């Protein structure tokens, strides 16, 4: 299906949102209050009634009931049906900067809005984001990626799927396994070969590679870096300058994704960013070692089954980078966030090409994308 201009796509929804806000029971807050068990026909207690539309749309704690009220609005339901679209509630954990206290006094760390799929495109209707600041007043419609980057915590464990059960994000699954070989004692001891750093700095480097790198990569990919993260990364990058800088050949970085859409989303963003890394990557001397380090079942790579997990493999014929062999025998190099890789268009291909050459069969699509690159 051909994609529509986003402004044209959401245009029919704007008057429906306006009409909803003008409903009498919305104006007086009655339709927006929290009902027992979140049942639309349930009892609305006086203390759970926002008393006005302004209070309901701008006060923490009413996001679920407001979103549900609009989702069930008869005119909205007619619009959805006429356009052959879909809509449902979705929830996320929010960034710390948006934490607030509900009208009931409890702390709020999550948020609910409406996911709409129309003409094969996803967008968010969020009628209560005004609670996060005046700059969001009347910002009722968002493209999904902007909404996610703005509000979603990088540590959020909610899984948001579209109406075909595709997970809506492009983060690699980060399952780095930590055996005794990779524990802090081993790594800190190995770092004593670097004489230009202190014991405290060795602990900081160890903690980054064994514990923090997954969280930091998630924040970087989603664009959720705050000033404290920048200060932390500035400190880490300065420490990394003390590590050995080496050259090597035939290095690999394997990423596992929950489905094909997620894998293609990562590749698309990588290319749109001019092949500049949006994360720190840790390389290994073989695909087998990379899979073992990240807890990936190598037997699942390059299979013809496209509906399950998918993979992206960065392959370096030659490389210059920071040596991280102090982590263990499975790891060789680290390439930091922000480094531009050299990638030729013809060096991005489906793994079916490799499979066809190795077994002499007709080329078929597999669940793996290979990217041959250099730095």
């Amino acid at each position: 299906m051909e994609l529509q201009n986003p402004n044209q796509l959401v245009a029919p929804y704007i008057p429906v949102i306006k009409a909803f806000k003008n409903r009498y029971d919305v104006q007086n807050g009655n339709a927006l209050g929290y009902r027992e068990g979140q049942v639309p026909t349930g009892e609305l207690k006086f203390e759970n009634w926002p008393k006005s539309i302004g209070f309901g749309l701008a006060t923490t704690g009413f996001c679920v009931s407001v979103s549900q009220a609009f989702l069930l609005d008869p005119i909205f339901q007619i619009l959805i049906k006429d356009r052959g679209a879909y809509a449902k509630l979705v929830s996320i954990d929010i960034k710390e900067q948006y934490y607030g206290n509900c009208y009931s006094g409890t702390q709020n760390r999550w948020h609910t809005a409406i996911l709409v799929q129309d003409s094969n495109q996803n967008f968010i209707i969020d009628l209560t984001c005004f609670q996060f600041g005046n700059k969001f007043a009347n910002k009722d419609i968002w493209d999904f990626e902007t909404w996610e980057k703005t509000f979603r915590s990088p540590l959020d464990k909610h899984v948001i799927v579209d109406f075909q059960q595709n997970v809506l994000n492009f983060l690699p699954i980060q399952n780095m396994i930590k055996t005794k070989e990779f524990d802090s004692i081993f790594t800190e001891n190995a770092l004593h070969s670097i004489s230009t750093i202190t014991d405290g700095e060795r602990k900081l480097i160890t903690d980054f590679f064994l514990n923090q790198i997954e969280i930091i990569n998630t924040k970087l990919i989603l664009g959720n870096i705050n000033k404290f993260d920048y200060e932390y990364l500035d400190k880490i990058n300065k420490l990394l300058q003390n590590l050995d800088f080496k050259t090597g050949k035939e290095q690999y970085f394997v990423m596992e994704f929950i489905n094909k859409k997620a894998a293609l989303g990562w590749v698309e963003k990588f290319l749109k960013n001019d092949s500049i890394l949006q994360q720190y990557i840790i390389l290994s001397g073989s695909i087998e070692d990379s899979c073992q380090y990240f807890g990936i079942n190598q037997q699942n790579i390059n299979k013809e089954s496209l509906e399950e997990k998918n993979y992206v493999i960065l392959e370096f014929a030659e490389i210059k980078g920071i040596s991280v062999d102090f982590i263990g025998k499975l790891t060789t190099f680290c390439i930091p966030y922000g480094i531009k890789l050299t990638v030729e268009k013809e060096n991005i291909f489906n793994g079916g090409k490799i499979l066809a050459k190795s077994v002499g069969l007709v080329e078929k699509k597999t669940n793996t994308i290979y990217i041959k690159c250099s730095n």
Side-chain angles (χ1 to χ4, degrees), residues 173-184:
I173 300 171
Q174 301 188 61
N175 291 329
M176 187 170 67
I177 54 173
K178 300 176 179 63
T179 66
K180 291 182 180 180
E181 183 180 18
F182 307 135
D183 66 19
S184 60

Side-chain angles (χ1 to χ4, degrees), residues 91-94 152-160 218:
S91 297
I92 55 171
D93 287 350
I94 53 177
R152 192 173 190 177
S153 167
L155 303 180
D156 183 22
K157 299 299 183 183
H158 285 92
V159 177
I160 300 178
T218 300

